[in-house]
Amino acid sequence: MFAGLDDIDWPGMKHAYGSADDVPEMLRDLVSSDASEREVALDGMYGAVHHQGDIYECTIATIPFLLEAAAQPGVPGRGAILELLASYANAENDDWTPASDPEVAARYDRARLDVAAGAPVYLELLNDKDPEVRGALGKALLAVRRDAGPVVDAVLARLPGESDADVQVAWLRALGRFGTRGVNVGAVRMGLMSLSSPHPRVGLAAWTEYVRCGPDPLPVDALPSLSECLTAAYAQEVAPPEKAGFQTETLVGQLREMRHDTVSWRPAPHMDGVIREVSWAFGDLVDVRTEFLLQQLRSDDWVRRYDSLRAVKDLVNGWRGDYGELAAAVGDLLGDPRSPVYDLAADTLLSIGPLAAPAADALAESLAAAPRFARRRPDAGPAAWLTAEPQMWQQVSAALSTLAHLGDARAVPMVGWLLEQKLVPEHIGNLVTSLGRNALELLPLIKPTTASLIEALGQIGPDAADSVPDLLAVAPTEGLLRTLGRIGAAEAVPLVRGLLSDEKLAGAAAWALWRLTEDPEPVLPVFADMLAGNNFVAREGADSLGDLGPAAASSLPALRALLERPDEYGWLHLSAVTAIWRITGEIDLGTLTRLWPLPSRRLAVAETLVEMGTTIDPAIVRAEADSIRRHTVTRVAEYLDVYNSDIGADERLRRALGELLTRGGEGQ
């Protein structure tokens, strides 16, 4: 094994932390008889040779040796080696975009092809004596993307004779992923449904992957069968996992211990994450997923309810739908005496933002019964309004944060109590702002001691005039100046005027001075200078000129010139066309249409169109309105990942889309 390893010019290659001359030692230690040495080597491979998923020349050079080690019977550590190879090939990710740099993209492609070339090794290992090795094949086999039919056939043929339930589950997951790729779909479905096993997890995995393969319509017995399998699997008595018996000062070791701690405390440790997998298998079938999760949330088994909550987060964050009943069912869990369920239910409601409204009564009742302050303990009951973590870091409870973010008046006295504390929570201003007009009751308690409270006073506006003396005693910042402008603090004019020449604060000072005096003469030169700055500064200047309206007509040539600048993210061009419209009434539908495909700009474009009283091509608007996915989600292909979701922004977009469609004559 490893013949020729030292003949390679490893010092001539680089990894994330410099010379790759340490790679041979790591490779040899991956198969050491000492488990701690293997873990240190594996950490080095992931941390340096495959740093954050990167592929280097030295990464590619290790692939033949990793395949050679994996193929050796009886060698320790081969399961981890197979998973490392799968990670090299990004095997589980079908929504993968190569790097923009051609040289980097070529390395990724080469790694994928070289790992896939190990297919003969993987097929031989289907009969390996080590169940850890056979189980790891569930990921490694997915690296075979071209001509994967024989791989699927081999797994289907070997599956009924496999005696280890965990291995069967791993192979079933692989078959489901192959099915979604369109590989031998009919044979996969038939194999999944014909598999017989006494282990409930195996039956559950077979049904899950059958659903994932997308039969349309779903069989009528899909949900009942899944629920029956879930009940049997949760009832199965499984001992909690044992500690590894060693520790290493590595990230891999820390993650291993975290995984152990995550499941060792709970009943049914083998079911951690399973309900999320089932939910993800339904994909875009939002109504079916909602019905499935409602069944789990109403289960008599508290662990099953607990496990359902993360799946609720996934669904609501990633997909649009009617979630009123689901939110109410989560709210019902706030009465559960087991704190893990309570805490996770409150966190779930906080994560779904404005869609948590059906749970408002349950939140208020829960908070009315909760203590105001408590030290955080794992076995605590309903969370206090304010808790202190072991490091003395204070945190507002998720339940109170959610109720306040909903603008519910019942949160006002609770937020008021927080404001009375000697140490005010850092971001409490966000809660004050969320309360809207209800926050007026809190004005006597609000002191400008944090940036978020200063911002909150600005959002309250002229009603916060009594706070101006306290604000004037604070060192000037951009946030302070904008708050003074929003309040209309005339006594702040000398301060603001004096900061027009301040390099860092000139823009905010000019904006505030315009709000306070409506005199364009002293502020126009400041905004004109900003237009000549970088894109971020120029955008701020354009926004400010738009606020001036027709008074900024002299800046039109410079604003139009901004549209000729490169603008990768689209914000500068959006600010420029908006400012031009506010100054002249001219509408640039061409630029707005061009910016629409940028997901992170789409809400701003839609709301700008609503403000302008016009729309772009209704077909473009309709396509977004008909999408089942939230517009800010960049990837949902991985069954446990929803990236960059912003429910509040997406719900605002949906309202704006409705207005645009009505304006375009389509209705909703």
Side-chain angles (χ1 to χ4, degrees):
M1 189 166 55
F2 297 149
L5 178 61
D6 295 324
D7 297 334
I8 292 177
D9 182 19
W10 298 104
M13 292 184 276
K14 301 288 186 183
H15 55 48
Y17 296 105
S19 172
D21 58 359
D22 54 350
V23 171
E25 180 182 2
M26 283 191 273
L27 286 170
R28 291 188 171 98
D29 284 349
L30 282 175
V31 294
S32 168
S33 59
D34 185 327
S36 62
E37 286 186 2
R38 295 200 301 272
E39 185 164 275
V40 170
L42 189 65
D43 185 79
M45 294 297 291
Y46 278 109
V49 180
H50 188 38
H51 178 70
Q52 295 183 356
D54 289 342
I55 300 293
Y56 308 91
E57 288 298 331
C58 71
T59 316
I60 297 170
T62 65
I63 293 174
F65 300 103
L66 294 174
L67 288 170
E68 183 180 357
Q72 300 299 315
V75 170
R78 290 181 297 146
I81 288 174
L82 288 169
E83 291 188 352
L84 177 62
L85 284 165
S87 182
Y88 278 11
N90 218 343
E92 293 183 282
N93 183 7
D94 293 328
D95 189 26
W96 178 78
T97 302
S100 56
D101 184 326
E103 183 177 340
V104 175
R107 291 202 299 268
Y108 279 92
D109 288 338
R110 172 73 183 278
R112 284 193 158 199
L113 291 172
D114 286 4
V115 173
V121 173
Y122 310 144
L123 293 178
E124 185 67 27
L125 292 176
L126 288 172
N127 297 295
D128 196 88
K129 293 181 179 180
D130 187 346
E132 181 183 349
V133 171
R134 300 197 305 276
L137 288 171
K139 295 180 179 179
L141 288 168
L142 290 171
V144 183
R145 286 181 165 82
R146 300 176 183 176
D147 194 25
V151 170
V152 171
D153 290 340
V155 176
L156 285 169
R158 178 68 179 82
L159 183 63
E162 173 57 53
S163 59
D164 189 288
D166 289 336
V167 174
Q168 283 186 309
V169 169
W171 291 359
L172 287 168
R173 288 174 177 165
L175 287 171
R177 301 309 186 281
F178 278 121
T180 61
R181 295 175 183 176
V183 181
N184 297 8
V185 181
V188 168
R189 289 179 185 162
M190 185 178 298
L192 293 172
M193 285 297 92
S194 63
L195 182 64
S196 176
S197 171
H199 300 284
R201 275 290 312 280
V202 175
L204 178 60
W207 261 110
T208 301
E209 300 311 324
Y210 181 78
V211 168
R212 194 190 305 278
C213 289
D216 187 18
L218 285 175
V220 293
D221 58 341
L223 273 182
S225 297
L226 280 166
S227 292
E228 182 180 344
C229 290
L230 274 171
T231 300
Y234 270 95
Q236 186 181 15
E237 293 188 10
V238 175
E242 296 182 0
K243 281 274 191 179
F246 65 91
Q247 289 183 319
T248 61
E249 294 182 2
T250 64
L251 178 58
V252 169
Q254 292 176 23
L255 292 174
R256 169 178 51 77
E257 292 181 21
M258 286 174 60
R259 283 193 295 269
H260 175 274
D261 294 342
T262 297
V263 300
S264 61
W265 65 271
R266 47 167 287 161
H270 59 299
M271 296 301 290
D272 182 53
V274 172
I275 287 179
R276 294 179 77 187
E277 286 190 53
V278 177
S279 176
W280 272 91
F282 287 110
D284 288 344
L285 301 178
V286 171
D287 291 344
V288 180
R289 291 177 73 170
T290 301
E291 181 182 353
F292 168 73
L293 291 175
L294 282 170
Q295 292 175 4
Q296 312 317 311
L297 291 170
R298 292 164 177 164
S299 167
D300 292 334
D301 184 350
W302 75 266
V303 184
R304 198 159 160 180
R305 298 195 298 272
Y306 178 88
D307 289 347
S308 303
L309 289 166
R310 289 188 174 89
V312 171
K313 284 185 181 181
D314 293 338
L315 174 60
V316 182
N317 275 277
W319 284 264
R320 296 166 175 171
D322 181 359
Y323 297 121
E325 190 176 4
L326 201 62
V330 174
D332 290 342
L333 300 184
L334 297 176
D336 195 303
R338 293 186 180 268
S339 63
V341 175
Y342 178 96
D343 288 344
L344 191 54
D347 287 339
T348 300
L349 291 171
L350 181 61
S351 77
I352 67 176
L355 300 185
D361 288 346
L363 286 163
E365 291 171 11
S366 165
L367 289 163
R372 296 187 175 191
F373 178 81
R375 299 289 180 193
R376 186 77 164 158
R377 304 195 319 273
D379 60 343
W385 299 356
L386 185 67
T387 57
E389 301 295 333
Q391 298 83 10
M392 296 301 294
W393 177 54
Q394 291 188 330
Q395 182 177 9
V396 179
S397 75
L400 177 49
S401 294
T402 304
L403 193 65
H405 284 309
L406 291 173
D408 196 296
R410 289 170 290 188
V412 171
M414 302 174 195
V415 176
W417 178 81
L418 294 173
L419 288 167
E420 292 174 331
Q421 302 311 298
K422 184 176 181 180
L423 182 61
V424 176
E426 183 177 359
H427 299 294
I428 192 173
N430 298 333
L431 304 185
V432 173
T433 300
S434 298
L435 288 170
R437 299 297 295 176
N438 289 323
L440 294 179
E441 296 180 35
L442 300 173
L443 275 171
L445 301 174
I446 300 175
K447 303 299 179 185
T449 54
T450 69
S452 72
L453 284 173
I454 291 172
E455 170 69 19
L457 288 169
Q459 294 299 321
I460 291 172
D463 288 317
D466 290 344
S467 301
V468 171
D470 289 336
L471 288 166
L472 290 175
V474 176
T477 63
E478 287 191 20
L480 175 73
L481 294 171
R482 293 186 182 278
T483 287
L484 291 169
R486 291 188 178 103
I487 292 175
E491 57 267 55
V493 168
L495 168 69
V496 173
R497 196 184 299 276
L499 293 171
L500 290 178
S501 59
D502 186 291
E503 182 178 351
K504 293 183 178 180
L505 299 178
W511 182 88
L513 187 61
W514 164 254
R515 289 289 295 260
L516 296 174
T517 66
E518 296 189 357
D519 180 4
E521 184 176 348
V523 303
L524 278 172
V526 176
F527 297 143
D529 287 344
M530 294 174 71
L531 295 185
N534 61 40
N535 281 13
F536 179 83
V537 174
R539 178 195 170 199
E540 185 181 341
D543 289 339
S544 298
L545 288 166
D547 289 340
L548 267 65
S554 61
S555 299
L556 284 170
L559 284 168
R560 291 192 171 100
L562 295 180
L563 296 173
E564 303 302 320
R565 279 198 200 181
D567 181 22
E568 179 181 0
Y569 302 106
W571 283 120
L572 178 63
H573 291 173
L574 179 60
S575 292
V577 298
T578 303
I580 292 169
W581 170 73
R582 289 176 178 163
I583 295 169
T584 68
E586 299 173 11
I587 297 176
D588 184 352
L589 286 181
T591 297
L592 294 172
T593 301
R594 177 174 55 81
L595 294 175
W596 184 270
L598 298 171
S600 56
R601 303 296 88 84
R602 197 164 301 149
L603 170 62
V605 172
E607 292 186 333
T608 298
L609 289 167
V610 170
E611 181 185 352
M612 290 176 171
T614 188
T615 187
I616 56 176
D617 183 351
I620 297 175
V621 179
R622 171 55 65 188
E624 175 60 49
D626 289 344
S627 173
I628 197 67
R629 304 278 179 86
R630 296 204 182 277
H631 79 287
T632 48
V633 174
T634 56
R635 192 175 91 218
V636 294
E638 292 296 300
Y639 68 92
L640 293 185
D641 295 329
V642 176
Y643 288 92
N644 299 334
S645 177
D646 186 335
I647 293 175
D650 190 68
E651 291 298 310
R652 284 170 53 196
L653 174 63
R654 294 177 73 186
R655 290 192 292 272
L657 292 170
E659 293 188 46
L660 295 178
L661 289 173
T662 300
R663 185 172 295 150
E666 286 200 30
Q668 297 189 50

